[in-house]
Amino acid sequence: MGFPANGASDKPLKFLIYGRTGWIGGLLGKLCEAQGIEYVYGSGRLEDRRSLEADLAAVNPTHVFNAAGVTGRPNVDWCESHKVETIRTNVVGTLTLADVCLSKGLILINYATGCIFEYDSAHPLGSGVGFKEEDTPNFTGSFYSKTKAMVEELLKNYENVCTLRVRMPISSDLSNPRNFITKITRYEKVVNIPNSMTILDELLPISIEMAKRNLTGIYNFTNPGVVSHNEILEMYRDYIDPNFSWKNFTLEEQAKVIVAPRSNNELDTTKLKQEFPELLSIKESLIKYVFKPNQKTPAA
């Protein structure tokens, strides 16, 4: 479903991006530069309506992107002990931005999370049955995920918002500590569970294309299919470091070293794939965008 952005089609693209210091926000700016799209980073605080209105007035964008939000440092466990700060940005801030955009007739591309579901009897692990866009979130293990599910439910009422459910984001930059691959190669032990994941090198350009098409509504923003921790680490060993080894542990063992449980799920990507048929499966995308460009071992 599209939203008629004010004259967006007849004037050159100009993006207002929130999340300058964030990983996705930074990558978006680079993509805009590469594509010759004019962009400005918002300087307002998401929870301060007046500052957002000032940004919109100053920039006069065709589209707004929200890549700001609290995920916690070093991980989502931070949110468990900083609940008000998490609400302020992830709920109040995101809703305020959506509301200000609506009043100006602007589409908001909102990078959200797919970590609001967990495998259940209707979507068992290994079944290939993924959660769809319209499914009700069933994972409330972490406060971070709880706030994300709340705000997604409220944003459904805003016809100008395109919500992209990102999961376990991966990029070709293997030095980035936010990169899921970088994280798991540094852990002492990893669980081994198949999950839906997002290859940013492939999907972020698609999010810019979605803005150009004025798409709105919820999209599971992951590559089709699932990949397990061990499969990724095997690829890492084969392409990057032949001497790399790792240890596994169970969910029960993991629970002893983390504060909040983590979500594990498969998301159904039929809707995204219908719009972008060229979208690669998670394993193909990993090889093409991440492991081949970083390959250090002799090509097999």
Side-chain angles (χ1 to χ4, degrees):
M1 166 178 119
F3 178 81
N6 283 348
S9 52
D10 52 19
K11 68 175 183 176
L13 292 169
K14 187 175 187 185
F15 294 165
L16 174 58
I17 302 170
Y18 287 92
R20 176 203 299 263
T21 57
W23 184 23
I24 288 178
L27 289 173
L28 268 179
K30 290 192 178 113
L31 280 172
C32 288
E33 278 164 30
Q35 292 190 27
I37 297 170
E38 195 181 348
Y39 72 100
V40 177
Y41 282 113
S43 54
R45 300 291 304 166
L46 289 192
E47 62 275 17
D48 179 354
R49 188 181 183 97
R50 216 171 286 169
S51 71
L52 299 183
E53 289 170 340
D55 279 347
L56 286 177
V59 176
N60 191 24
T62 57
H63 301 79
V64 180
F65 288 74
N66 180 29
V70 172
T71 53
R73 292 280 195 281
N75 56 45
V76 294
D77 284 344
W78 181 91
C79 300
E80 300 298 316
S81 53
H82 297 79
K83 291 184 173 171
V84 170
E85 295 96 316
T86 305
I87 292 169
R88 192 176 291 139
T89 305
N90 291 356
V91 183
V92 179
T94 305
L95 289 171
T96 304
L97 183 58
D99 200 59
V100 170
C101 289
L102 183 68
S103 70
K104 298 278 185 265
L106 291 168
I107 283 184
L108 172 65
I109 304 284
N110 183 48
Y111 297 97
T113 183
C115 293
I116 52 178
F117 297 101
E118 62 182 334
Y119 291 119
D120 62 10
S121 56
H123 311 80
L125 191 151
S127 65
V129 178
F131 289 92
K132 292 185 162 63
E133 279 77 5
E134 57 276 10
D135 286 337
T136 304
N138 69 343
F139 177 74
T140 53
S142 73
F143 189 73
Y144 168 80
S145 291
K146 226 182 268 185
T147 61
K148 289 294 202 173
M150 286 175 201
V151 80
E152 185 183 280
E153 185 58 36
L154 292 166
L155 285 175
K156 283 182 189 169
N157 301 293
Y158 284 82
E159 60 176 8
N160 63 315
V161 176
C162 184
T163 291
L164 304 179
R165 290 175 176 161
V166 174
R167 283 205 82 232
M168 299 180 165
I170 290 168
S171 86
S172 53
D173 176 7
L174 293 178
S175 63
N176 191 312
R178 310 295 304 278
N179 192 336
F180 180 74
I181 296 177
T182 312
K183 282 183 184 176
I184 64 171
T185 56
R186 292 176 181 176
Y187 288 162
E188 201 179 323
K189 292 181 177 174
V190 293
V191 291
N192 182 37
I193 299 174
N195 270 287
S196 285
M197 303 188 192
T198 302
I199 306 295
L200 295 176
D201 303 66
E202 181 173 18
L203 282 153
L204 280 188
I206 283 178
S207 65
I208 290 177
E209 187 56 37
M210 294 171 92
K212 292 178 184 172
R213 295 183 193 181
N214 290 330
L215 297 176
T216 55
I218 297 172
Y219 285 85
N220 287 335
F221 204 59
T222 58
N223 290 84
V226 291
V227 64
S228 71
H229 297 58
N230 281 11
E231 285 172 319
I232 289 179
L233 293 173
E234 281 160 15
M235 288 183 197
Y236 185 85
R237 183 189 61 204
D238 294 345
Y239 283 90
I240 312 292
D241 177 3
N243 299 314
F244 183 78
S245 65
W246 65 95
K247 293 188 188 122
N248 287 127
F249 63 162
T250 63
L251 279 174
E252 292 72 31
E253 291 169 315
Q254 183 196 43
K256 292 174 183 159
V257 296
I258 54 177
V259 178
R262 305 293 194 257
S263 139
N264 293 290
N265 68 53
E266 177 171 354
L267 298 181
D268 183 302
T269 51
T270 308
K271 184 179 175 184
L272 188 64
K273 186 97 173 153
Q274 279 170 344
E275 192 68 44
F276 298 95
E278 68 279 12
L279 186 61
L280 294 178
S281 74
I282 184 62
K283 290 173 193 171
E284 290 174 314
S285 194
L286 271 167
I287 290 168
K288 177 177 177 180
Y289 289 100
V290 181
F291 287 116
K292 279 266 170 76
N294 282 296
Q295 186 161 10
K296 290 190 173 62
T297 57

